[in-house]
Amino acid sequence: MSDLSVRPWRHAANDMSLDEGDEKLSARQARRPLETARTRLFVAGAIFTLCFVILGGRLVQLSLLGGGQNQERAAEHQGGLLTLQRADIVDRNGALLATNLPSHSLYVNPSQVLDAVEAADKITRILPELSRDKVLRKASATGQFAWIKRNLTPDQHYAINRLGLPGFSFEREERRVYPHGSLFVHTLGFAGIDNAGLAGLEAARDDDLKQIAKTPDGKMVTALDSRVQHIVHAELSAAMATFKAKGAAGIVMDVHSGEVLALSSLPDFNPYELDSSIADQRFNRATLGVYELGSTFKAFTTAMALEYGVVDINDRYDATKPLKVARFTIRDDHPQNRWLDVPEIFVHSSNIGAAQMARDVGAERQKDFLARLGMLSPLPFELAENGKPLSPRHWREINTMTIGYGHGIAVTPLHLISGFATLVNGGMRTTPTLLRRPVTQTGERVIARETSDAMRMLMRMVVEQGTGKQAEAEGYLVGGKTGTAEKATVGGYKKDALITTFVGAFPMDAPRYAVLVMLDEPHGNDATHGLAAAGWNAAPVFGRIVSQIAPMLGVMPLLPSGEEQQQDQTQRLLVRADGKGRNFASF
Amino acid sequence: MTSFSRTDPSILGRWWWTLDRSALLVLTLLFAVGAILTVAASPGAAERIGLEPFHFVRHQFVFMAPAMLIMLAVSLLSPRGVRRLATLVFAAGLALVVATHFAGVEIKGASRWLSLAGFTFQPSEFVKPCFAVVAAWMFAEYRESENFPGRAIASVLLLIVVALLLMQPDFGMAVTVTAVWFVQFFLAGLSLWWVGLAAVLTLGAVTAAYSIFPHVANRIDLFIDPSSGDSYQVSTSLKAFQQGGLLGRGPGEGIVKGYLPDAHTDFIFAVAAEEFGMLAALAIVGLFFFIVLRGLTRVVREADLFVLLAVAGLLTQFGLQALINMGVTVQLLPAKGMTLPFVSYGGSSLVASALGMGMVLALTRSGYRDKSSAK
């Protein structure tokens, strides 16, 4: 073993690992480097162990946890591909009502086209709906750009791309798709070729839809229920055919939240075939059209009179003969020719009685009451098509009296059903909405609970004993009011052009949903003995709709064998309405 | 083999009973893993570049038996024999590395290969383990012989090797060789002052490399911000790990090997993870870890400083290469072409790894003393 202390040629600085003390302890010198090496070997082993453990940990992270950051990056990347210009619209159950699909549009840069004739021939063979001359003109024009066809199908895109025609290129676009076709066209509306909302919710909430589209998985949730919508649409279509009506409208609304579950206006149109639709198809009868809705307004008159204490439920009016006011004569459609009390006026739909009741309330209070029900101004509904009600500028006594039975004021069907929802839900103002809204968000009180209770009772009686018998949906305790109004034209009313309406709610012991059915110019047939009044057409449609949607909406029917039980229900209803226990069912 | 008695005085008998048999077993397993993964990963790569599918497989299998034999033969050597062999191969390898600059085959922008009898081989792969042994010798001799400038010689040799490697350029191998040299120096008693200084210098070197070599800068930029450029291989590799999950897609069911350019070489570990799953990948990591730790624990008791330094150097090189290769595939490290010893495709790498591990086996034989080598 060498003596390390004698190393004359080595500079001390070269040997910094050995301090001066070591130089003297030659006995330990042989062991010392080994000791150091062994100690340091542990350090090296520890570092290696650490590195291998980190590597193992990373493996677990990558394989089992998906690698954290990188997967997020991957997701972002994917999200980038799928970012669309407009958000999806879904119904209350998440069913897709409108979405955007990527598509390709064909354009031509004429300066690059080699053989315009050949190109026009080949393209019109794949797209036969195009005019060959038009394509030829576009392909041989001067300029840099002309659309040939927007939003090709993948098949067309492939076939045209395969032609390999110079100058013809594709632009990636997006196409708005409505999987239900025309079913929701009067609520959703539609978006145009450049993805701008042009009608309905698409137009009214255009900015929202574009904003929501930027959030991951963002979609607009509507209050609509596609199952209910389908039934309303189908029943209205059938009714239009049966009664040879010009048009129809139907609405289903949650009476507490004001959420619109279904809204249809017929005739409607396919949003993809906008160009071939006519104005009547594009006209929304449910929200844009304003109509004199006739006797249905007697519900408001009755509620108003009870609310202001102008009449007691037992008060009676003279309906023995037509009522002459100034130069007008008010007649009854179902004349009883006797004195009628308030429930009788409502159940038999007496114009004479309702007019007198309205007169007793007075113009100012009537106006105020209708305003609080929302009947005098456009609704804040989430559509581009919201009709403005028509009401008299000078609200004279005769106006008060005719408005008492629904003439001289025109509102949209949506106004009417919202008012009815208010009457039956306990008296809180219902504002319709197409979007989800929590029930807790109730409006202001319009009528007292007692008045609302009385109205529920009266509406039930209309179905049990009055003009709305055909609206019955067995087991669901429906109630409502018929309305048959002659259409106003210049200089008077058209006798044979009717607007018939049935509006009501169910179940009447604790109403949950209001339903409105309106037919535009229905005609009588053999089954109706040639009659065209609301009780013969709108009412049965109402009944059919309720009996189909109630099970879907979780409304429990009364037991089929429960004749007695139903009696009990009505009894309870009536007792509550009267407050004194008088049984109105004896009328 | 069990026919050898513990007292068998023959060379083979002595060899068997003194050998680290579990390390030999694990190394044999690594050979098997390499064979399986080459079959799994290389047909896709071969087809992609227009070769017949089993080109790489056959090529690799040709080298497997010789490599195994080399490993076993070298493990028979005494420490002195190892030292002599390493010195010879080191000298020859260095000469051949010089030759690559004149007669080299350029592949992917670097001239690291020599063409020999139809095979291309990479002399620097052989320089790597041999330099570790030579450096160990120098460091040990510095401690044990009077007036011997071991440290200076080791340092000068390092400078020569690194210079030659950077000229190819082979930045990765230069770093590996330097790191191994440094670990040996550290074990041989380098003052902690110098260790600190080396850390600072390393940082400086990395910065310098970043600013001098554009491809190094590119790789590091990509590691820090993968979206700054094309990190296709690494991101594809990560996908392999994610898709493999716990148990993998199953043998032959891998997808990324079809479009990962270096699936059979630098990214073979990703193929393993995709087809055989996380557990298999962890097992492979475990094999490498076992060899490194097993060797280090064995030489802790070693009385011969040369043996200790040589084994530590060889294992550091082996472990570091495995860590860097696998670290790159899981994006723990910037992309760096580094083969996975025994597993990646490449004849030179396989034979050189076998040579290195053969020397480790030889040097870690227990209770076996070649007295002559200590002095």
Side-chain angles (χ1 to χ4, degrees):
Chain A
M1 195 50 58
S2 58
D3 182 359
L4 293 177
S5 60
V6 189
R7 283 180 298 188
W9 53 269
R10 186 172 293 154
H11 195 273
N14 277 349
D15 192 9
M16 296 178 73
S17 63
L18 298 175
D19 58 33
E20 286 172 342
D22 285 337
E23 307 240 340
K24 288 163 194 157
L25 299 167
S26 55
R28 286 165 61 191
Q29 276 157 11
R31 252 179 57 227
R32 183 70 195 217
L34 259 178
E35 287 288 306
T36 311
R38 283 171 185 167
T39 315
R40 293 187 173 187
L41 206 54
F42 278 110
V43 177
I47 293 174
F48 261 115
T49 307
L50 183 68
C51 289
F52 274 105
V53 167
I54 290 173
L55 180 64
R58 172 71 174 161
L59 265 177
V60 173
Q61 186 209 4
L62 265 182
S63 307
L64 298 188
L65 310 176
Q69 185 207 355
N70 284 293
Q71 202 165 54
E72 276 167 36
R73 274 215 336 267
E76 262 173 44
H77 184 59
Q78 289 228 318
L81 280 175
L82 292 174
T83 297
L84 298 171
Q85 293 168 9
R86 291 184 81 77
D88 287 357
I89 301 177
V90 298
D91 82 350
R92 64 194 301 117
N93 302 314
L96 192 64
L97 304 184
T99 189
N100 265 27
L101 290 183
S103 73
H104 288 86
S105 291
L106 178 66
Y107 68 90
V108 63
N109 180 350
S111 65
Q112 295 175 355
V113 173
L114 294 181
D115 184 345
V117 176
E118 184 205 359
D121 283 343
K122 284 183 170 171
I123 284 174
T124 47
R125 212 168 298 145
I126 292 165
L127 303 171
E129 68 273 26
L130 296 182
S131 137
R132 183 184 165 280
D133 289 345
K134 239 183 206 169
V135 175
L136 187 58
R137 220 176 313 130
K138 284 177 181 171
S140 44
T142 54
Q144 304 287 314
F145 182 94
W147 286 118
I148 299 290
K149 174 105 200 300
R150 305 286 288 271
N151 294 324
L152 300 173
T153 67
D155 263 357
Q156 293 168 337
H157 174 216
Y158 172 79
I160 291 172
N161 197 30
R162 206 161 158 263
L163 295 176
L165 296 170
F168 289 85
S169 318
F170 301 96
E171 176 82 11
R172 218 187 106 99
E173 291 201 293
E174 283 172 29
R175 168 178 207 185
R176 195 65 165 165
V177 173
Y178 303 97
H180 296 271
S182 61
L183 186 59
F184 290 95
V185 77
H186 279 300
T187 41
L188 302 181
F190 51 86
I193 201 150
D194 294 313
N195 269 300
L198 297 183
L201 183 68
E202 296 266 31
R205 286 288 186 269
D206 196 34
D207 290 341
D208 285 359
L209 284 164
K210 284 172 180 165
Q211 283 304 314
I212 295 170
K214 288 175 190 154
T215 62
D217 287 333
K219 45 181 78 108
M220 182 173 279
V221 182
T222 62
L224 293 164
D225 186 321
S226 42
R227 305 165 304 171
V228 176
Q229 174 77 20
H230 189 86
I231 286 164
V232 170
H233 191 269
E235 286 298 338
L236 288 181
S237 304
M240 259 180 78
T242 309
F243 303 109
K244 299 189 175 56
K246 245 179 77 180
I251 303 171
V252 176
M253 177 188 280
D254 183 314
V255 297
H256 297 290
S257 65
E259 288 177 326
V260 170
L261 277 75
L263 188 149
S264 247
S265 167
L266 295 179
D268 55 12
F269 62 101
N270 189 327
Y272 303 126
E273 291 163 8
L274 187 60
D275 293 343
S276 59
S277 66
I278 59 170
D280 188 46
Q281 290 174 305
R282 293 195 297 270
F283 183 72
N284 192 334
R285 287 176 159 78
T287 65
L288 184 58
V290 293
Y291 305 93
E292 291 181 296
L293 291 167
S295 306
T296 50
F297 259 65
K298 287 172 190 153
F300 301 138
T301 306
T302 309
M304 174 174 70
L306 290 172
E307 179 70 15
Y308 285 126
V310 171
V311 296
D312 182 77
I313 197 98
N314 300 317
D315 284 350
R316 307 192 333 153
Y317 281 99
D318 178 6
T320 50
K321 56 184 184 300
L323 183 65
K324 284 200 162 63
V325 185
R327 57 192 173 88
F328 300 97
T329 306
I330 297 169
R331 294 170 207 281
D332 277 354
D333 294 330
H334 316 273
Q336 306 288 313
N337 300 320
R338 59 185 173 92
W339 283 68
L340 300 172
D341 67 8
V342 172
E344 286 172 323
I345 290 169
F346 193 70
V347 169
H348 298 300
S349 201
S350 166
N351 293 342
I352 302 165
Q356 293 176 85
M357 239 190 280
R359 186 188 56 200
D360 289 354
V361 171
E364 279 313 306
R365 288 198 291 189
Q366 183 188 42
K367 198 172 171 180
D368 178 60
F369 184 81
L370 291 178
R372 282 197 287 136
L373 272 176
M375 292 292 146
L376 302 182
S377 50
L379 290 166
F381 196 53
E382 297 89 351
L383 286 188
E385 301 83 9
N386 281 322
K388 184 179 185 304
L390 300 176
S391 53
R393 203 174 310 147
H394 305 291
W395 203 295
R396 290 186 290 260
E397 186 173 62
I398 182 63
N399 301 112
T400 302
M401 292 176 77
T402 60
I403 288 171
Y405 58 91
H407 286 269
I409 185 169
V411 300
T412 69
L414 189 63
H415 278 96
L416 185 68
I417 193 176
S418 306
F420 264 69
T422 304
L423 293 189
V424 299
N425 73 3
M428 311 307 282
R429 166 81 180 267
T430 306
T431 312
T433 177
L434 208 48
L435 304 179
R436 290 308 304 267
R437 178 194 284 163
V439 184
T440 49
Q441 229 178 293
T442 50
E444 59 176 46
R445 178 165 291 285
V446 179
I447 56 171
R449 170 159 287 283
E450 292 71 31
T451 312
S452 174
D453 292 343
M455 291 314 298
R456 290 191 289 119
M457 180 268 290
L458 292 173
M459 287 184 203
R460 177 63 194 151
M461 287 167 75
V462 168
V463 174
E464 282 188 357
Q465 312 161 18
T467 51
K469 289 200 185 86
Q470 295 193 52
E472 183 65 299
E474 205 178 335
Y476 293 111
L477 215 56
V478 299
K481 182 73 190 81
T482 53
T484 308
E486 288 162 10
K487 270 176 132 175
T489 53
V490 183
Y493 288 95
K494 279 162 78 179
K495 270 263 172 260
D496 53 348
L498 302 176
I499 293 281
T500 64
T501 312
F502 192 93
V503 57
F506 70 95
M508 281 320 266
D509 57 338
R512 287 177 57 190
Y513 297 100
V515 179
L516 174 143
V517 174
M518 184 192 93
L519 295 173
D520 189 351
E521 295 189 22
H523 295 91
N525 56 27
D526 292 345
T528 68
H529 317 294
L531 297 173
W536 289 99
N537 44 51
V541 175
F542 177 99
R544 273 198 296 278
I545 289 175
V546 170
S547 59
Q548 289 172 83
I549 66 172
M552 288 175 179
L553 297 171
V555 177
M556 297 305 286
L558 297 172
L559 296 171
S561 60
E563 189 82 17
E564 263 171 57
Q565 199 182 347
Q566 188 167 338
Q567 205 74 44
D568 288 351
Q569 292 271 359
T570 316
Q571 207 86 11
R572 223 171 43 232
L573 202 85
L574 300 177
V575 169
R576 206 164 3 143
D578 185 32
K580 297 181 203 129
R582 191 186 144 193
N583 190 346
F584 289 105
S586 60
F587 283 98
Chain B
M1 291 295 219
T2 44
S3 59
F4 293 130
S5 136
R6 279 184 187 275
T7 52
D8 188 339
S10 75
I11 291 176
L12 273 181
R14 230 165 28 153
W15 171 79
W16 178 250
W17 290 115
T18 54
L19 185 71
D20 182 357
R21 286 177 302 279
S22 32
L24 180 63
L25 174 71
V26 170
L27 286 168
T28 313
L29 281 176
L30 271 183
F31 265 100
V33 167
I36 292 169
L37 290 183
T38 299
V39 174
S42 71
E47 273 186 345
R48 213 172 30 246
I49 58 173
L51 299 171
E52 58 95 16
F54 281 82
H55 174 86
F56 289 133
V57 175
R58 271 193 279 106
H59 205 265
Q60 186 75 347
F61 276 42
V62 163
F63 282 100
M64 243 168 228
M68 194 89 185
L69 280 177
I70 287 172
M71 187 174 81
L72 293 175
V74 171
S75 72
L76 285 166
L77 294 174
S78 66
R80 171 176 284 188
V82 167
R83 201 163 69 193
R84 285 175 178 165
L85 175 71
T87 311
L88 273 173
V89 175
F90 176 66
L94 218 51
L96 289 172
V97 170
V98 174
T100 58
H101 291 286
F102 306 103
V105 182
E106 191 169 316
I107 301 178
K108 293 184 190 172
S111 47
R112 303 170 187 168
W113 290 268
L114 278 179
S115 190
L116 193 73
F119 290 108
T120 54
F121 89 105
Q122 195 181 351
S124 53
E125 284 280 1
F126 296 89
V127 169
K128 206 164 37 174
C130 295
F131 176 64
V133 175
V134 172
W137 180 25
M138 291 300 114
F139 287 127
E141 211 58 26
Y142 167 81
R143 279 291 180 216
E144 290 162 0
S145 309
E146 194 181 332
N147 300 348
F148 187 77
R151 286 177 165 186
I153 295 173
S155 306
V156 169
L157 286 177
L158 173 78
L159 287 179
I160 294 169
V161 171
V162 166
L164 285 172
L165 288 175
L166 288 183
M167 280 162 72
Q168 287 189 327
D170 194 343
F171 185 74
M173 198 175 289
V175 167
T176 317
V177 168
T178 310
V180 171
W181 171 84
F182 178 75
V183 168
Q184 289 178 310
F185 207 157
F186 167 74
L187 294 176
L190 180 63
S191 153
L192 290 178
W193 282 106
W194 284 102
V195 174
L197 185 64
V200 174
L201 283 177
T202 307
L203 269 177
V206 169
T207 315
Y210 182 84
S211 47
I212 293 169
F213 302 103
H215 78 283
V216 175
N218 184 24
R219 298 267 179 93
I220 292 173
D221 285 345
L222 279 176
F223 175 68
I224 294 166
D225 177 16
S227 61
S228 70
D230 181 16
S231 58
Y232 178 74
Q233 294 233 67
V234 171
S235 51
T236 309
S237 163
L238 290 180
K239 220 180 290 169
F241 284 93
Q242 289 159 1
Q243 289 169 356
L246 188 65
L247 298 171
R249 287 176 174 276
E253 301 293 324
I255 291 170
V256 296
K257 65 185 183 187
Y259 49 95
L260 197 54
D262 288 341
H264 60 313
T265 56
D266 298 346
F267 286 93
I268 196 162
F269 188 55
V271 175
E274 191 193 15
E275 297 205 349
F276 302 98
M278 185 197 82
L279 294 181
L282 279 178
I284 293 173
V285 173
L287 293 180
F288 284 103
F289 182 50
F290 177 87
I291 288 175
V292 172
L293 215 63
R294 172 82 180 180
L296 291 183
T297 49
R298 260 175 104 89
V299 290
V300 160
R301 286 165 299 181
E302 180 58 58
D304 188 332
L305 186 61
F306 160 69
V307 171
L308 187 150
L309 291 178
V311 169
L314 288 166
L315 290 175
T316 301
Q317 182 224 306
F318 177 81
L320 203 59
Q321 216 174 312
L323 278 173
I324 291 176
N325 174 285
M326 295 188 282
V328 168
T329 58
V330 296
Q331 215 196 11
L332 278 175
L333 295 169
K336 178 71 222 99
M338 182 85 60
T339 54
L340 190 56
F342 292 109
V343 178
S344 286
Y345 169 79
S348 308
S349 162
L350 178 63
V351 174
S353 300
L355 175 66
M357 287 300 107
M359 294 194 282
V360 168
L361 288 176
L363 294 171
T364 55
R365 284 158 67 186
S366 57
Y368 175 76
R369 284 287 161 271
D370 180 4
K371 300 296 176 201
S372 57
S373 78
K375 291 281 146 79

